Amino acid sequence: MMNLPKKLTNKLKLREETNSLRSLKLPSNLVDFSSNDYLGFAKSQVIFDKTHQFLVDNNLKQNGATGSRLLSGNHSLYQTVEKQISEFHQSETALIFNSGYDANIGFFSSVPQRGDVILYDEFIHASIRDGIQLSNAKSYKFKHNDLEDLKYHIERSRDISSKEHEIYIVTESVFSMNGDSPDLEKLSEISKRNKAFLVVDEAHAIGVFNDGLIQKLNLQNDIFARIVTFGKALGCHGAAILGSNQLHQYLINFARSFIYTTGLSPHALATIKCIYDELVSSIGVENSKKLQENIYHFTSEINRLNIPVFSFEEMSERQWGFIESKSAIHCCVISGNEKVKSIAQKLQEKGFDVKPILSPTVSVHEERLRFCLHAYNSTKEITKVLENLSIFKNN
């Protein structure tokens, strides 16, 4: 077997030297504070059994889609599930992609055109950045959740672009590495005032805030496109782009990650269907309520233990403490890869699965522990993990 080229070997060596080399590990039996399974749907026996029964009842005994959706893979369950999703999210249409990564790659590589301008939050997800890189549009980042900086870039783009250009503003409703959210109402106002197209990735909001933050704020008619993913709180796989009938038609014709890939299997779609059914069931409503109670308990315990809490704008001045968050993601900044890995290891030894987020995933000196909360975490577990965190940090 041939060895890696020297350039690649050197890159791996640098990761080792900076204590940031990644590796694959099997799931543990520790108390879960790391997964995206916020509502516990990924491990739900009820959903598993309902999915199986749905397939049996509808005589769907097929393992794969057999091809892309434009060829042989567009089986009837696609239309059923997409209609269910669009109605749930109060959108004209929903177009299912194989993953959130595929959805973002497909959208951003095909929708913004040459001469257009994409203005994106500096902390936007890697899949969106990759899609933007494949686009022929110009792109500029604005400071995280900084609407004044966004306005500056809007005015700047008008000065340097042709009269025919369109502006796309891109953000997330909950940011995965901070747990914070932008002011979506003001973002919507800015977009409308400037006739820009607002695109919001709701990956970490769906299920956590019921049908998402956009609908919670009644902004669904003001958003050009929403990306909803099923691999977080919904506990399965895939994603959908919500938008107008025209956008739906355009993506089918021009989004390469949709056109040139095999469709999802009937089993994958049946799982998505049963999970959306579960969201509005009594069990789903109760899980959502329990998750919100756990989020409240987590923030209350942070205050009780006098662990510092600060806004994102204050982070550069802090070496330790939690970034403000109302979501299921809570991040405790602990500067330095070695330090944050050490405390994560100690928490794991106490039985808590808490993962460190290292540079270069986040900026140097902004390394952190990422706590993901779930409906199935107990208040005792939450209290205990924070008490241990406080002890380890102060020792």
Side-chain angles (χ1 to χ4, degrees):
M1 192 70 69
M2 292 180 66
N3 291 327
L4 277 176
K6 187 176 180 180
K7 291 178 183 178
L8 306 187
T9 303
N10 288 340
K11 291 182 76 171
L12 282 175
K13 185 178 179 181
L14 180 61
R15 284 288 174 91
E16 290 178 341
E17 291 172 351
T18 57
N19 206 16
S20 60
L21 185 68
R22 299 182 178 102
S23 62
L24 295 174
K25 297 179 181 178
L26 293 174
S28 68
N29 293 319
L30 305 178
V31 177
D32 184 6
F33 283 106
S34 69
S35 83
N36 294 323
D37 188 23
Y38 305 124
L39 295 176
F41 284 176
K43 300 174 183 177
S44 169
Q45 182 72 38
V46 171
I47 292 172
F48 183 89
D49 291 341
K50 285 183 176 180
T51 299
H52 176 74
Q53 195 58 50
F54 176 85
L55 292 167
V56 171
D57 292 345
N58 289 273
N59 197 32
L60 293 169
K61 300 176 181 178
Q62 184 175 317
N63 294 320
T66 77
S68 74
R69 291 185 66 183
L70 290 172
L71 295 176
S72 60
N74 194 40
H75 42 85
S76 60
L77 194 49
Y78 263 113
Q79 279 71 40
T80 300
V81 179
E82 286 176 337
K83 184 174 185 294
Q84 179 185 22
I85 292 170
S86 65
E87 289 176 351
F88 181 88
H89 291 293
Q90 298 176 357
S91 173
E92 279 187 20
T93 62
L95 183 64
I96 291 176
F97 284 72
N98 285 13
S99 69
Y101 195 97
D102 282 341
N104 281 326
I105 287 285
F107 180 93
F108 290 100
S109 65
S110 67
V111 174
Q113 300 294 295
R114 188 179 302 277
D116 291 344
V117 175
I118 305 169
L119 303 178
Y120 62 94
D121 188 290
E122 64 177 326
F123 288 166
I124 210 73
H125 193 266
S127 60
I128 297 177
R129 283 177 174 266
D130 289 353
I132 289 172
Q133 287 183 347
L134 294 172
S135 170
N136 289 318
K138 298 176 182 178
S139 61
Y140 306 95
K141 64 184 177 183
F142 59 90
K143 295 176 184 177
H144 180 53
N145 289 342
D146 189 331
L147 301 188
E148 291 305 314
D149 194 46
L150 171 61
K151 291 176 187 177
Y152 163 76
H153 281 286
I154 291 173
E155 292 305 315
R156 179 173 174 269
S157 69
R158 286 185 174 135
D159 294 337
I160 63 177
S161 301
S162 68
K163 292 182 180 180
E164 300 299 319
H165 79 281
E166 307 289 358
I167 297 175
Y168 293 86
I169 299 172
V170 189
T171 191
E172 301 179 28
S173 56
V174 174
F175 283 86
S176 61
M177 289 297 119
N178 280 16
D180 59 351
S181 299
D183 188 328
L184 291 166
E185 291 175 307
K186 287 185 178 178
L187 258 177
S188 176
E189 291 173 9
I190 292 170
S191 298
K192 286 189 288 186
R193 190 182 314 128
N194 291 279
K195 297 182 180 179
F197 295 89
L198 182 56
V199 183
V200 182
D201 188 320
E202 289 237 81
H204 290 277
I206 300 301
V208 176
F209 300 101
N210 298 318
D211 39 21
L213 278 178
I214 294 299
Q215 283 169 261
K216 183 177 180 180
L217 297 170
N218 197 31
L219 297 174
Q220 58 270 21
N221 294 326
D222 300 329
I223 311 300
F224 176 63
R226 282 176 282 165
I227 295 92
V228 297
T229 63
F230 312 139
K232 310 298 190 297
L234 303 196
C236 53
H237 196 71
I241 295 179
L242 310 176
S244 67
N245 289 313
Q246 284 184 315
L247 177 61
H248 185 274
Q249 186 178 37
Y250 181 87
L251 291 169
I252 289 172
N253 281 275
F254 294 99
R256 293 169 69 86
S257 63
F258 175 88
I259 298 167
Y260 299 108
T261 191
T262 300
L264 292 174
S265 69
H267 187 278
L269 290 167
T271 303
I272 296 167
K273 180 195 180 303
C274 290
I275 282 175
Y276 268 92
D277 290 341
E278 196 74 358
L279 276 174
V280 296
S281 73
S282 58
I283 294 175
V285 171
E286 182 60 32
N287 281 13
S288 181
K289 179 183 176 183
K290 185 64 168 66
L291 174 58
Q292 291 302 318
E293 289 173 352
N294 281 346
I295 293 171
Y296 176 80
H297 181 69
F298 191 92
T299 55
S300 297
E301 289 297 88
I302 290 174
N303 292 329
R304 181 182 69 83
L305 293 165
N306 294 316
I307 300 174
V309 179
F310 47 83
S311 66
F312 168 78
E313 290 76 15
E314 300 172 300
M315 183 160 58
S316 61
E317 305 168 7
R318 307 296 186 104
Q319 296 292 305
W320 139 254
F322 279 92
I323 304 168
E324 287 178 342
S325 170
K326 296 179 181 178
S327 73
I329 300 168
H330 292 259
C331 293
C332 182
V333 174
I334 300 174
S335 181
N337 277 351
E338 186 174 346
K339 182 68 172 176
V340 75
K341 285 180 73 173
S342 173
I343 293 179
Q345 179 63 36
K346 290 177 181 178
L347 288 173
Q348 290 162 15
E349 289 170 358
K350 289 290 185 179
F352 302 105
D353 188 11
V354 179
K355 294 293 196 300
I357 307 298
L358 311 175
S359 58
T361 300
V362 294
S363 298
V364 175
H365 303 309
E366 295 179 4
E367 297 83 4
R368 63 201 62 177
L369 295 176
R370 183 171 181 260
F371 294 80
C372 294
L373 306 181
H374 312 90
Y376 50 82
N377 289 135
S378 70
T379 55
K380 182 178 179 181
E381 290 168 347
I382 291 170
T383 295
K384 198 68 177 175
V385 74
L386 287 173
E387 287 177 345
N388 277 280
L389 170 66
S390 183
I391 292 168
F392 295 145
K393 178 59 183 67
N394 293 323
N395 286 344

